[in-house]
């Protein structure tokens, strides 16, 4: 079985490559807070990636509300949300302002390794997004 790779058309999908190389990671999506796809692994159809992105926003909002209900803390900062099923694990982590990273793994994936690599990739994404765009020098020097 070949490892899925990120779609070349999605500019920030490079964040997904190291995750998709981990044993047991099947799919990955970068989603906006309002449920739009910013990047997705090739193994997902566009329709599936859009559903995952929409559900990522919903799961993240629900987890925040759930935590608030238990703690009476408004706007708690989430580290990760994990959904376990017989088919595997869905893990969602915040990936900066209004962005989330979600992966789906097999049931036997090493979740500690996956969660760690997700944080590494979120940090890399944050650094890339904070870097100023390169300016082309339009002046000619003689």
């Amino acid at each position: 079985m070949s490892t899925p790779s990120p779609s070349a058309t999605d500019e920030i999908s490079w964040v997904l490559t190291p995750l998709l190389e981990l044993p047991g990671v099947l799919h990955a999506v970068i989603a906006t807070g309002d449920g739009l796809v910013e990047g997705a692994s090739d193994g997902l159809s566009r329709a599936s990636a859009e559903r995952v992105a929409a559900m990522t926003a919903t799961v993240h909002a629900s987890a925040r509300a759930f935590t608030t209900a238990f703690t009476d803390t408004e706007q708690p900062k989430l580290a990760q949300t994990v959904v376990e099923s017989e088919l595997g694990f869905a893990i969602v982590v915040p990936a900066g302002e209004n962005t989330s990273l979600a992966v789906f793994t097999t049931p036997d994936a090493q979740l500690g390794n996956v969660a760690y690599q997700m944080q590494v990739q979120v940090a890399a994404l944050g650094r890339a997004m904070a870097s100023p765009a390169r300016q082309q020098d339009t002046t000619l020097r003689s």
Side-chain angles (χ1 to χ4, degrees):
M1 178 169 99
S2 65
T3 302
S5 63
S7 173
T9 60
D10 299 316
E11 288 185 27
I12 62 173
S13 288
W14 58 266
V15 169
L16 305 179
T17 301
L19 296 169
L20 294 165
E21 292 172 349
L22 293 173
V25 174
L26 302 173
H27 302 293
V29 171
I30 301 168
T32 65
D34 51 356
L36 300 176
V37 177
E38 290 189 342
S41 54
D42 283 341
L44 287 175
S45 68
R46 185 69 186 174
S48 291
E50 288 173 356
R51 283 193 307 271
V52 169
M55 293 309 301
T56 295
T58 302
V59 165
H60 219 51
S62 296
R64 244 188 254 98
F66 194 56
T67 302
T68 295
F70 271 118
T71 65
D72 290 326
T73 302
E74 291 300 317
Q75 296 299 314
K77 291 188 176 195
L78 300 178
Q80 67 181 6
T81 304
V82 179
V83 177
E84 181 180 3
S85 74
E86 74 224 18
L87 301 174
F89 295 91
I91 306 166
V92 180
V93 298
E97 189 74 30
N98 199 37
T99 304
S100 294
L101 172 61
V103 300
F104 190 77
T105 73
T106 60
D108 60 342
Q110 297 295 315
L111 294 186
N113 292 341
V114 174
Y116 172 77
Q117 190 64 47
M118 289 177 80
Q119 292 304 321
V120 167
Q121 292 311 107
V122 164
L125 179 61
R127 286 189 304 274
M129 300 297 264
S131 298
R134 291 184 183 180
Q135 298 293 322
Q136 182 175 357
D137 187 4
T138 58
T139 61
L140 295 176
R141 297 184 185 175
S142 34

